[in-house]
Amino acid sequence: MGLMFKQLHSLFVGDAGPIELRRVHDEDTLAAIRAGMDEYAVLVFHDQPFTDDEHLAFAQRLDGALHTKLGSAAIQKNRFGNEALGDISNLGSDGEILKSDDRRRAYTLGNRLWHTDASFQDPPGRYSMLHAKVIPPVGADTEYADMRAAYDALPAETKALIQGLRVHHSIAYSRQTLGFDFSKDEEEALKGAVYPLVRTIPRSGRRALYVASHASRIIDWPVPEGRLLLRDLIEHATQRQFVYRHTWRVGDLVIWDNRCTMHRATPFEDTKHPRELRRVTTLDMGGPEMAPHTPQPSERPGKAGSLL
Ligand code: OGA
Ligand code: MN
């Protein structure tokens, strides 16, 4: 099929084409897309006329089992009746634009924080595949940060400090930072998960920072010190040289690797214009790098302030 990748950013992101993914069933092409993911971490495919079912089926062909616990289930029943089909829109169950004081809108605004999908779940998300149906006239781009390049650029001292650390991720925490509170029952269903701060991505062998706005604390560290280090790492990783900004066209499918990128939505007039995308995310079943690890005393802090 002659699949080619054109790099869109100096560090990552490939524009892939020409290809119509709903027709891709052969193992060679699927393997070429996976290899593209290993290299670029984010792939952009324009002009994909997916139905929801074709989108779901393609995601499974490419990467296996789908995530069905995407967080929002605690807030509102999925309007498509399928928890694997994430409703990335500013529309309510009646299809109307959400009002500014709507609870689901407040919840969705959390996507404007830098994050990686389902890092607060076990298992977390591996590939997310976001398909654009309706795009507003201005704004509403999505930004991506390359967490492999961000890791590579850390001073050796910081790499040594963070190696082996583990982080608790919680959506209750990240939403609270925006003033959104879950009920006790909702919180009960969203206890969070613990993952290594540095991950080695299978196949490419590259290391990546695994942090997100959901990252609430570093295990075995005092909470404030842990939060300060997490904040510094996120600031470091989202400097402009590590960030690509995607301007959506209807029909775009963007696939990103949640193990080694962060992303965030950018503002638009969301109480005026509809914006509608669908997201399917696969399960990250992990590997040896996800195994629990006890930090050695030599890896304990220190002050992190001057290490980035
Ligand atoms: C997502 C997400 C950002 C956006 O779909 O996981 O964070 O721009 N989307 O809608
Ligand atoms: Mn997301």
Side-chain angles (χ1 to χ4, degrees):
M1 188 166 248
L3 175 63
M4 305 233 288
F5 301 108
K6 190 176 127 235
Q7 195 160 333
L8 295 178
H9 180 277
S10 61
L11 297 167
F12 70 138
V13 191
D15 183 319
I19 195 166
E20 199 175 313
L21 295 171
R22 63 183 178 160
R23 301 203 192 290
V24 170
H25 286 79
D26 67 291
E27 209 24 67
D28 285 354
T29 309
L30 291 167
I33 296 170
R34 292 182 202 116
M37 288 299 295
D38 290 341
E39 182 169 354
Y40 298 103
V42 179
L43 290 179
V44 177
F45 299 85
H46 294 296
D47 305 316
Q48 301 299 320
F50 277 132
T51 63
D52 291 342
D53 284 346
E54 287 167 339
H55 185 181
L56 289 157
F58 171 73
Q60 288 169 87
R61 288 199 296 280
L62 184 68
D63 202 41
L66 303 182
H67 223 298
T68 54
K69 290 193 278 175
L70 296 170
S72 51
I75 299 302
Q76 182 187 281
K77 218 174 135 25
N78 182 291
R79 92 184 140 107
F80 314 121
N82 181 350
E83 298 295 342
L85 194 62
D87 180 8
I88 308 298
S89 79
N90 57 343
L91 310 179
S93 40
D94 54 1
E96 296 297 315
I97 294 180
L98 297 170
K99 303 263 184 313
S100 60
D101 61 353
D102 191 287
R103 190 157 185 260
R104 189 173 103 81
R105 173 175 184 263
Y107 175 85
T108 305
L109 286 176
N111 276 349
R112 300 217 326 231
L113 301 172
W114 282 107
H115 68 282
T116 181
D117 292 332
S119 67
F120 50 87
Q121 298 280 17
D122 180 16
R126 186 161 53 201
Y127 291 168
S128 282
M129 309 183 205
L130 188 58
H131 186 234
K133 307 267 185 207
V134 178
I135 294 300
V138 185
D141 298 343
T142 306
E143 290 188 315
Y144 296 91
D146 185 345
M147 305 304 281
R148 307 164 307 178
Y151 175 83
D152 291 346
L154 289 171
E157 205 183 337
T158 308
K159 288 181 182 163
L161 171 75
I162 65 178
Q163 191 56 40
L165 295 181
R166 293 185 304 134
V167 175
H168 179 249
H169 293 248
S170 152
I171 193 165
Y173 169 72
S174 61
R175 291 310 190 256
Q176 268 154 21
T177 64
L178 286 187
F180 181 96
D181 287 316
F182 286 97
S183 69
K184 276 276 160 286
D185 286 353
E186 288 165 348
E187 249 181 64
E188 199 51 36
L190 295 164
K191 282 201 180 326
V194 173
Y195 294 114
L197 175 49
V198 178
R199 301 187 58 179
T200 305
I201 310 305
R203 295 202 301 253
S204 75
R206 290 192 67 181
R207 288 184 172 196
L209 282 173
Y210 194 61
V211 285
S213 56
H214 308 309
S216 69
R217 59 195 164 82
I218 296 179
I219 304 298
D220 292 338
W221 277 35
V223 172
E225 262 175 296
R227 282 194 185 160
L228 287 168
L229 176 56
L230 292 166
R231 193 179 280 223
D232 283 348
L233 291 171
I234 291 174
E235 262 180 35
H236 162 79
T238 54
Q239 294 176 86
R240 294 324 294 177
Q241 67 265 32
F242 303 125
V243 173
Y244 164 76
R245 186 176 180 113
H246 183 69
T247 299
W248 291 93
R249 289 185 350 209
V250 171
D252 284 356
L253 181 87
V254 177
I255 310 180
W256 63 88
D257 187 339
N258 285 296
R259 299 170 301 179
C260 60
T261 57
M262 284 200 299
H263 60 280
R264 68 170 176 182
T266 65
F268 73 107
E269 288 188 292
D270 70 288
T271 54
K272 258 200 193 153
H273 303 292
R275 178 179 191 254
E276 190 166 357
L277 303 92
R278 308 263 200 280
R279 196 188 91 205
V280 179
T281 296
T282 56
L283 293 172
D284 175 12
M285 298 315 281
E289 93 285 357
M290 295 294 265
H293 170 101
T294 311
Q296 300 305 304
S298 62
E299 295 168 352
R300 299 275 169 85
K303 286 188 223 81
S306 60
L307 288 170
L308 292 164

